[in-house]
């Protein structure tokens, strides 16, 4: 189930943001993003001034997709970690649970080793939240057990909102 098929509640977003902010502080990173594999931003932490988060998320998802293609060419299931080193800033990209992508932007105030160590811990926490969201979303699908809060909304209800 792709992340985009999931229903994220405000409390889920708060939990993701809390983990990202903790990671940002502990890794001494500038910005941390959690995006889905389609390039949609799920949550972020840090100052995004001067950044285009939408483009960064889209290009990162494309980068991960291209790398997945390379992995398959080499007979690997995936390359779950990508690292890009720049003159001033560096990007650490990590696929989380096959569903989401964790992006850490850091500079010379941190190190690749520290970022990798902190990311490893954070991916476990993010993965646990993702699994809860997936389980809840699956149970709310038609035939999945419980009743979805969106099944009662009709097209007429939506049209009435705009009339």
């Amino acid at each position: 189930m792709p992340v985009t098929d999931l229903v994220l509640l405000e409390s889920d977003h708060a939990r993701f943001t809390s983990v990202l902010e903790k990671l940002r502080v502990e890794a001494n990173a500038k910005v941390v993003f959690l995006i889905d594999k389609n390039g949609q931003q799920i949550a972020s932490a840090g100052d995004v001034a001067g950044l285009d988060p939408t483009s960064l998320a889209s290009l990162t998802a494309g980068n991960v997709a291209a790398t997945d293609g390379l992995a398959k060419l080499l007979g690997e299931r995936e390359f779950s970690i990508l690292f890009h080193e720049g003159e001033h800033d560096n990007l650490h990209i990590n696929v989380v649970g096959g569903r989401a992508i964790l992006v850490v932007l850091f500079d010379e105030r941190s190190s690749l080793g520290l970022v990798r160590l902190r990311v490893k811990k954070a991916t476990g926490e993010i993965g646990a939240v993702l699994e809860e969201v997936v389980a809840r979303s699956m149970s709310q699908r038609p035939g999945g057990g419980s009743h979805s809060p969106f099944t009662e909304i009709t097209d007429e209800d939506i049209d009435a909102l705009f009339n």
Side-chain angles (χ1 to χ4, degrees):
M1 171 183 271
V3 171
T4 53
D5 292 343
L6 304 178
V7 177
L8 294 175
L9 303 177
E10 185 69 29
S11 59
D12 301 324
H13 183 265
R15 291 173 67 193
F16 284 130
T17 302
S18 174
V19 173
L20 297 183
E21 181 59 29
K22 182 178 170 188
L23 170 60
R24 189 192 66 77
V25 170
E26 290 181 352
N28 205 19
K30 294 169 76 176
V31 182
V32 180
F33 290 99
L34 184 65
I35 62 177
D36 72 11
K37 286 192 124 182
N38 292 323
Q40 298 291 319
Q41 183 179 322
I42 298 171
S44 67
D47 184 13
V48 295
L51 287 177
D52 179 356
T54 303
S55 295
L56 181 65
S58 298
L59 292 170
T60 299
N63 190 353
V64 169
T67 304
D68 282 351
L70 287 171
K72 286 181 178 48
L73 282 174
L74 299 174
E76 293 289 331
R77 190 171 62 85
E78 70 178 4
F79 292 130
S80 61
I81 297 173
L82 307 173
F83 175 67
H84 298 280
E85 183 175 0
E87 186 176 338
H88 303 289
D89 292 323
N90 308 301
L91 272 178
H92 185 277
I93 301 168
N94 194 80
V95 177
V96 181
R99 294 184 172 93
I101 303 167
L102 181 62
V103 182
V104 179
L105 175 64
F106 64 99
D107 59 16
E108 73 280 351
R109 293 175 293 163
S110 188
S111 68
L112 178 59
L114 178 62
V115 170
R116 289 188 69 172
L117 179 69
R118 300 303 185 196
V119 162
K120 187 173 183 177
K121 181 179 176 188
T123 55
E125 295 176 47
I126 293 168
V129 176
L130 273 173
E131 289 303 319
E132 288 178 31
V133 171
V134 168
R136 185 184 64 235
S137 296
M138 293 287 282
S139 70
Q140 293 177 344
R141 289 183 147 208
S146 86
H147 182 70
S148 169
F150 302 112
T151 58
E152 297 175 359
I153 300 172
T154 65
D155 289 340
E156 291 78 25
D157 293 334
I158 295 171
D159 289 341
L161 291 172
F162 299 103
N163 292 327

